[in-house]
Amino acid sequence: MTKLCILNVVGLTQKLLRHAPNLAAMGNHRPWTSPVPAVTCTSQATMLTGLAPRDHGVVGNGWLYRDTQEIRFWQQARTLVEGDVFYDRYETAKMFWWFNQSTTAEYGATPKPHYGCDGSKVFDILDWS
């Protein structure tokens, strides 16, 4: 079976990778050109699908819900990403990526903060196997 490990490390350049020789020696690596806008949700949806933002539909970190005129940030539902994701064809552990809610990955963990009505934010994690 072919093994694949994708590490999403924001800001890791070829120059910085030289300072992590054990990581660099793990296999083939190549730089990735981020989409525009180069924000978390858009970039991760592009990595997961191989599609441009206009095709997978994630064009920012927030969504405007026209019916309530609310902008909701950091939505986690897999259903927000249009198109097939590469991990549907593999046994996958999808750790700390966005769009993990209702994912088909067999194993996972994702940050899931809770927002209080008073504006507070409490960090939490959803996980499954």
Side-chain angles (χ1 to χ4, degrees), residues 32-105:
W32 183 67
T33 302
S34 64
V36 176
V39 295
T40 302
C41 293
T42 304
S43 295
Q44 288 192 11
T46 298
M47 291 173 104
L48 295 172
T49 64
L51 300 172
R54 70 177 171 273
D55 298 321
H56 60 61
V58 180
V59 296
N61 287 338
W63 284 258
L64 171 63
Y65 288 81
R66 294 183 195 285
D67 57 336
T68 61
Q69 292 300 300
E70 290 181 290
I71 297 173
R72 299 180 197 156
F73 287 95
W74 305 110
Q75 299 290 296
Q76 296 263 7
R78 160 62 183 96
T79 54
L80 292 169
V81 181
E82 297 174 20
D84 295 330
V85 291
F86 76 87
Y87 59 81
D88 281 344
R89 299 180 298 276
Y90 303 97
E91 181 178 2
T92 304
K94 192 167 172 251
M95 308 302 290
F96 302 103
W97 286 65
W98 292 106
F99 311 114
N100 267 3
Q101 286 182 263
S102 67
T103 183
T104 57

Side-chain angles (χ1 to χ4, degrees), residues 23-36:
L23 180 61
M26 289 179 70
N28 297 326
H29 52 85
R30 61 178 177 231
W32 183 67
T33 302
S34 64
V36 176

